[in-house]
Amino acid sequence: GQQVMQIPQYQHVQEGEDFTTYCNSSTTLSNIQWYKQRPGGHPVFLIQLVKSGEVKKQKRLTFQFGEAKKNSSLHITATQTTDVGTYFCAGPGGSQGNLIFGKGTKLSVKP
Amino acid sequence: NAGVTQTPKFQVLKTGQSMTLQCAQDMNHNSMYWYRQDPGMGLRLIYYSASEGTTDKGEVPNGYNVSRLNKREFSLRLESAAPSQTSVYFCASRDRGNSGANVLTFGAGSRLTVL
């Protein structure tokens, strides 16, 4: 079945360093979504990318959707302690387009 | 707006006991979902309900049952709990057909421990 793979599983950075997580799908996606889960919290929607090659920015966060619509990335510039959490990508798959989540990248930031 | 409300937040069960996790949403969403989250495994879909009156299996349905009681409520039942069902359970809802809101809204989660 369809798989969404995400790397790395963990990332430890010093505050101020950049961070990137990558997401790859085994099939072409109609769209890809990104969610953030703070420690002890629940996933919260960040953004949805739909177009091939699309790039969207939210302050220090930059999201990209690959030209082939099979991969995506999230880049955080100059990380802050408020960026700590697990970042998930998710793409529609299976019956009725239910979201399939990557396993997430857990980001820790050392002040 | 409360969004998606789950109860209980925490529960400890003994092996073989049964329990029901409750979920309600006040956003008039059509679709509702139950996920479980385990360390290193991400979010895995247990069951979903695309609309009131329908339910379908997800990736990991064994050991669970669900009921879509009405448009607002979607419950998850463990008939005979096993230690392998120790996890954090998230309920979510989604408004299908609305391109501006075709995303998942999650509840706060229910942390279940089976001894």
Side-chain angles (χ1 to χ4, degrees):
Chain A
Q2 181 183 347
Q3 290 186 328
V4 175
M5 292 151 286
Q6 200 173 343
I7 57 169
Q9 189 173 359
Y10 302 97
Q11 186 77 57
H12 309 283
V13 300
Q14 192 78 32
E15 189 173 21
E17 291 181 338
D18 292 355
F19 158 78
T20 304
T21 174
Y22 300 91
C23 184
N24 291 285
S25 169
S26 56
T27 60
T28 301
L29 300 171
S30 58
N31 66 78
I32 193 159
Q33 298 179 6
W34 286 90
Y35 292 77
K36 177 183 178 181
Q37 183 179 23
R38 296 182 188 276
H42 59 279
V44 174
F45 172 76
L46 292 177
I47 206 162
Q48 177 171 282
L49 305 172
V50 178
K51 299 177 183 176
S52 170
E54 189 170 14
V55 178
K56 286 189 176 181
K57 292 191 175 185
Q58 291 180 350
K59 298 182 180 178
R60 294 177 295 103
L61 278 62
T62 302
F63 302 85
Q64 290 189 310
F65 201 10
E67 294 290 342
K69 302 183 75 172
K70 294 181 74 173
N71 62 287
S72 181
S73 65
L74 158 59
H75 179 83
I76 302 178
T77 303
T79 55
Q80 300 175 357
T81 55
T82 53
D83 296 324
V84 164
T86 301
Y87 293 84
F88 294 97
C89 61
S95 62
Q96 309 213 28
N98 293 322
L99 284 179
I100 296 177
F101 282 82
K103 292 186 178 180
T105 296
K106 187 174 183 178
L107 172 65
S108 61
V109 179
K110 187 175 182 181
Chain B
N1 277 347
V4 179
T5 303
Q6 290 181 234
T7 56
K9 285 186 167 48
F10 301 94
Q11 184 72 52
V12 178
L13 293 176
K14 294 181 180 178
T15 297
Q17 287 185 319
S18 62
M19 78 156 299
T20 300
L21 300 177
Q22 307 285 353
C23 175
Q25 52 93 8
D26 62 2
M27 297 170 286
N28 202 35
H29 286 176
N30 290 314
S31 301
M32 297 186 73
Y33 306 80
W34 277 104
Y35 287 88
R36 61 177 289 173
Q37 184 175 34
D38 303 291
M41 298 297 292
L43 292 155
R44 293 184 292 170
L45 183 62
I46 306 171
Y47 268 94
Y48 67 97
S49 170
S51 60
E52 185 179 356
T54 69
T55 61
D56 286 287
K57 296 178 180 180
E59 181 185 354
V60 287
N62 291 346
Y64 305 95
N65 286 301
V66 289
S67 295
R68 184 73 182 266
L69 304 170
N70 47 56
K71 191 171 185 179
R72 289 187 64 248
E73 297 172 289
F74 188 38
S75 62
L76 178 71
R77 182 161 178 84
L78 288 70
E79 290 291 351
S80 179
S84 61
Q85 294 178 304
T86 293
S87 187
V88 180
Y89 292 86
F90 287 101
C91 177
S93 69
R94 185 167 75 162
D95 185 7
R96 294 180 70 82
N98 182 339
S99 62
N102 197 26
V103 302
L104 289 174
T105 301
F106 285 86
S110 299
R111 185 175 295 274
L112 176 66
T113 301
V114 183
L115 302 175

